[in-house]
Short mmCIF file of all heavy atoms in Angstrom, two decimals:
data_model
loop_
_atom_site.label_atom_id
_atom_site.label_comp_id
_atom_site.label_asym_id
_atom_site.label_seq_id
_atom_site.Cartn_x
_atom_site.Cartn_y
_atom_site.Cartn_z
N THR A 37 178.77 16.17 -110.91
CA THR A 37 180.05 15.83 -111.52
C THR A 37 179.81 15.39 -112.96
O THR A 37 178.70 15.02 -113.31
CB THR A 37 180.79 14.73 -110.73
OG1 THR A 37 182.07 14.55 -111.31
CG2 THR A 37 180.02 13.45 -110.72
N SER A 38 180.81 15.44 -113.76
CA SER A 38 180.64 15.08 -115.16
C SER A 38 181.12 13.64 -115.38
O SER A 38 181.91 13.10 -114.62
CB SER A 38 181.41 16.03 -116.06
OG SER A 38 182.79 15.85 -115.85
N ILE A 39 180.64 13.05 -116.45
CA ILE A 39 181.00 11.68 -116.78
C ILE A 39 182.50 11.58 -117.08
O ILE A 39 183.16 10.65 -116.64
CB ILE A 39 180.18 11.19 -117.99
CG1 ILE A 39 178.69 11.21 -117.66
CG2 ILE A 39 180.61 9.81 -118.43
CD1 ILE A 39 178.29 10.31 -116.52
N LEU A 40 183.03 12.55 -117.82
CA LEU A 40 184.45 12.50 -118.16
C LEU A 40 185.33 12.60 -116.92
O LEU A 40 186.38 11.97 -116.85
CB LEU A 40 184.80 13.61 -119.15
CG LEU A 40 184.22 13.45 -120.54
CD1 LEU A 40 184.56 14.65 -121.39
CD2 LEU A 40 184.74 12.18 -121.18
N ARG A 41 184.90 13.36 -115.92
CA ARG A 41 185.67 13.46 -114.69
C ARG A 41 185.68 12.13 -113.95
O ARG A 41 186.70 11.71 -113.41
CB ARG A 41 185.09 14.56 -113.81
CG ARG A 41 185.95 14.89 -112.62
CD ARG A 41 185.42 16.16 -111.96
NE ARG A 41 186.23 16.54 -110.85
CZ ARG A 41 187.35 17.24 -110.93
NH1 ARG A 41 187.78 17.65 -112.09
NH2 ARG A 41 188.03 17.55 -109.85
N ILE A 42 184.54 11.45 -113.94
CA ILE A 42 184.46 10.14 -113.29
C ILE A 42 185.36 9.15 -114.02
O ILE A 42 186.09 8.38 -113.40
CB ILE A 42 183.00 9.65 -113.25
CG1 ILE A 42 182.20 10.50 -112.26
CG2 ILE A 42 182.93 8.19 -112.85
CD1 ILE A 42 180.73 10.23 -112.28
N LYS A 43 185.32 9.15 -115.36
CA LYS A 43 186.17 8.24 -116.13
C LYS A 43 187.64 8.54 -115.87
O LYS A 43 188.46 7.62 -115.76
CB LYS A 43 185.86 8.37 -117.62
CG LYS A 43 184.58 7.71 -118.03
CD LYS A 43 184.40 7.81 -119.54
CE LYS A 43 183.10 7.18 -119.96
NZ LYS A 43 182.90 7.30 -121.41
N TRP A 44 188.02 9.80 -115.77
CA TRP A 44 189.41 10.17 -115.52
C TRP A 44 189.85 9.65 -114.15
O TRP A 44 190.93 9.08 -114.02
CB TRP A 44 189.57 11.68 -115.58
CG TRP A 44 190.97 12.12 -115.31
CD1 TRP A 44 192.01 12.11 -116.19
CD2 TRP A 44 191.50 12.59 -114.07
NE1 TRP A 44 193.15 12.56 -115.58
CE2 TRP A 44 192.86 12.87 -114.27
CE3 TRP A 44 190.95 12.81 -112.82
CZ2 TRP A 44 193.68 13.33 -113.27
CZ3 TRP A 44 191.78 13.28 -111.82
CH2 TRP A 44 193.11 13.54 -112.05
N GLN A 45 188.99 9.83 -113.13
CA GLN A 45 189.33 9.34 -111.80
C GLN A 45 189.45 7.82 -111.80
O GLN A 45 190.33 7.26 -111.17
CB GLN A 45 188.29 9.79 -110.78
CG GLN A 45 188.34 11.27 -110.51
CD GLN A 45 187.17 11.76 -109.65
OE1 GLN A 45 186.21 11.04 -109.44
NE2 GLN A 45 187.26 12.98 -109.20
N TYR A 46 188.56 7.14 -112.54
CA TYR A 46 188.62 5.68 -112.63
C TYR A 46 189.92 5.23 -113.28
O TYR A 46 190.56 4.29 -112.81
CB TYR A 46 187.41 5.17 -113.42
CG TYR A 46 187.46 3.69 -113.67
CD1 TYR A 46 187.22 2.79 -112.65
CD2 TYR A 46 187.74 3.19 -114.94
CE1 TYR A 46 187.27 1.44 -112.88
CE2 TYR A 46 187.79 1.84 -115.17
CZ TYR A 46 187.55 0.96 -114.14
OH TYR A 46 187.61 -0.38 -114.38
N THR A 47 190.32 5.90 -114.35
CA THR A 47 191.56 5.51 -115.01
C THR A 47 192.76 5.79 -114.12
O THR A 47 193.72 5.03 -114.15
CB THR A 47 191.73 6.23 -116.36
OG1 THR A 47 191.64 7.64 -116.16
CG2 THR A 47 190.69 5.79 -117.36
N GLN A 48 192.71 6.84 -113.32
CA GLN A 48 193.82 7.13 -112.41
C GLN A 48 193.93 6.04 -111.34
O GLN A 48 195.03 5.60 -111.00
CB GLN A 48 193.65 8.50 -111.76
CG GLN A 48 193.79 9.65 -112.72
CD GLN A 48 195.14 9.68 -113.39
OE1 GLN A 48 196.16 9.53 -112.73
NE2 GLN A 48 195.15 9.86 -114.69
N VAL A 49 192.79 5.62 -110.79
CA VAL A 49 192.79 4.55 -109.79
C VAL A 49 193.27 3.25 -110.41
O VAL A 49 194.07 2.52 -109.82
CB VAL A 49 191.38 4.39 -109.17
CG1 VAL A 49 191.28 3.13 -108.34
CG2 VAL A 49 191.04 5.60 -108.33
N LYS A 50 192.79 2.96 -111.61
CA LYS A 50 193.19 1.74 -112.30
C LYS A 50 194.69 1.75 -112.58
O LYS A 50 195.37 0.74 -112.39
CB LYS A 50 192.40 1.62 -113.60
CG LYS A 50 192.57 0.33 -114.32
CD LYS A 50 191.67 0.30 -115.53
CE LYS A 50 191.89 -0.95 -116.35
NZ LYS A 50 191.07 -0.96 -117.56
N LEU A 51 195.22 2.89 -113.00
CA LEU A 51 196.64 3.01 -113.26
C LEU A 51 197.45 2.82 -111.98
O LEU A 51 198.47 2.13 -111.98
CB LEU A 51 196.95 4.38 -113.88
CG LEU A 51 198.41 4.68 -114.18
CD1 LEU A 51 198.89 3.76 -115.30
CD2 LEU A 51 198.58 6.12 -114.57
N ALA A 52 196.98 3.40 -110.88
CA ALA A 52 197.69 3.25 -109.61
C ALA A 52 197.69 1.79 -109.16
O ALA A 52 198.70 1.29 -108.66
CB ALA A 52 197.04 4.14 -108.55
N LEU A 53 196.57 1.10 -109.34
CA LEU A 53 196.50 -0.30 -108.94
C LEU A 53 197.42 -1.17 -109.79
O LEU A 53 198.11 -2.05 -109.26
CB LEU A 53 195.06 -0.81 -109.03
CG LEU A 53 194.14 -0.37 -107.91
CD1 LEU A 53 192.72 -0.86 -108.16
CD2 LEU A 53 194.62 -0.87 -106.57
N THR A 54 197.43 -0.95 -111.10
CA THR A 54 198.30 -1.75 -111.94
C THR A 54 199.76 -1.46 -111.63
O THR A 54 200.59 -2.38 -111.66
CB THR A 54 198.02 -1.51 -113.43
OG1 THR A 54 198.14 -0.12 -113.71
CG2 THR A 54 196.65 -1.99 -113.82
N THR A 55 200.09 -0.23 -111.32
CA THR A 55 201.47 0.10 -110.94
C THR A 55 201.84 -0.60 -109.64
O THR A 55 202.94 -1.15 -109.52
CB THR A 55 201.62 1.63 -110.77
OG1 THR A 55 201.18 2.26 -111.97
CG2 THR A 55 203.05 2.00 -110.50
N PHE A 56 200.92 -0.63 -108.68
CA PHE A 56 201.18 -1.30 -107.40
C PHE A 56 201.33 -2.80 -107.60
O PHE A 56 202.23 -3.43 -107.03
CB PHE A 56 200.04 -1.01 -106.42
CG PHE A 56 200.20 -1.70 -105.10
CD1 PHE A 56 201.17 -1.29 -104.21
CD2 PHE A 56 199.38 -2.75 -104.76
CE1 PHE A 56 201.33 -1.92 -102.99
CE2 PHE A 56 199.53 -3.40 -103.55
CZ PHE A 56 200.51 -2.98 -102.67
N VAL A 57 200.48 -3.39 -108.43
CA VAL A 57 200.57 -4.84 -108.68
C VAL A 57 201.89 -5.18 -109.35
O VAL A 57 202.55 -6.17 -108.99
CB VAL A 57 199.37 -5.30 -109.53
CG1 VAL A 57 199.57 -6.71 -110.05
CG2 VAL A 57 198.09 -5.23 -108.72
N LYS A 58 202.32 -4.35 -110.30
CA LYS A 58 203.61 -4.59 -110.94
C LYS A 58 204.76 -4.50 -109.94
O LYS A 58 205.70 -5.29 -110.00
CB LYS A 58 203.82 -3.58 -112.08
CG LYS A 58 202.99 -3.87 -113.29
CD LYS A 58 203.23 -2.84 -114.37
CE LYS A 58 202.34 -3.08 -115.56
NZ LYS A 58 202.52 -2.06 -116.61
N LEU A 59 204.67 -3.54 -109.03
CA LEU A 59 205.70 -3.41 -108.01
C LEU A 59 205.74 -4.63 -107.11
O LEU A 59 206.81 -5.17 -106.82
CB LEU A 59 205.45 -2.15 -107.16
CG LEU A 59 206.38 -1.96 -105.97
CD1 LEU A 59 207.77 -1.59 -106.44
CD2 LEU A 59 205.83 -0.93 -105.02
N VAL A 60 204.57 -5.10 -106.67
CA VAL A 60 204.52 -6.27 -105.80
C VAL A 60 205.07 -7.50 -106.51
O VAL A 60 205.83 -8.28 -105.93
CB VAL A 60 203.07 -6.51 -105.31
CG1 VAL A 60 202.92 -7.86 -104.68
CG2 VAL A 60 202.66 -5.43 -104.34
N LEU A 61 204.72 -7.67 -107.78
CA LEU A 61 205.23 -8.82 -108.53
C LEU A 61 206.75 -8.74 -108.72
O LEU A 61 207.44 -9.76 -108.64
CB LEU A 61 204.54 -8.91 -109.89
CG LEU A 61 203.08 -9.34 -109.84
CD1 LEU A 61 202.47 -9.31 -111.25
CD2 LEU A 61 202.93 -10.72 -109.24
N ARG A 62 207.25 -7.54 -108.95
CA ARG A 62 208.70 -7.39 -109.13
C ARG A 62 209.44 -7.71 -107.84
O ARG A 62 210.46 -8.42 -107.84
CB ARG A 62 209.01 -5.96 -109.59
CG ARG A 62 210.43 -5.79 -110.06
CD ARG A 62 210.65 -4.46 -110.72
NE ARG A 62 210.40 -3.37 -109.79
CZ ARG A 62 209.63 -2.31 -110.07
NH1 ARG A 62 209.05 -2.21 -111.24
NH2 ARG A 62 209.46 -1.36 -109.18
N VAL A 63 208.90 -7.24 -106.70
CA VAL A 63 209.54 -7.52 -105.41
C VAL A 63 209.45 -9.01 -105.08
O VAL A 63 210.41 -9.61 -104.61
CB VAL A 63 208.88 -6.66 -104.29
CG1 VAL A 63 209.33 -7.10 -102.92
CG2 VAL A 63 209.23 -5.20 -104.51
N ARG A 64 208.28 -9.61 -105.37
CA ARG A 64 208.12 -11.04 -105.10
C ARG A 64 209.09 -11.87 -105.93
O ARG A 64 209.68 -12.82 -105.43
CB ARG A 64 206.68 -11.44 -105.41
CG ARG A 64 206.43 -12.91 -105.19
CD ARG A 64 205.01 -13.28 -105.49
NE ARG A 64 204.84 -14.70 -105.35
CZ ARG A 64 203.79 -15.35 -105.74
NH1 ARG A 64 202.79 -14.71 -106.29
NH2 ARG A 64 203.69 -16.65 -105.59
#
Side-chain angles (χ1 to χ4, degrees):
T37 185
S38 67
I39 299 299
L40 291 176
R41 189 170 182 84
I42 290 172
K43 285 183 181 178
W44 179 80
Q45 290 172 349
Y46 174 73
T47 55
Q48 292 300 315
V49 169
K50 188 176 175 183
L51 178 67
L53 284 176
T54 55
T55 306
F56 178 71
V57 168
K58 286 180 183 178
L59 174 71
V60 167
L61 289 176
R62 191 171 62 229
V63 169
R64 179 180 176 191

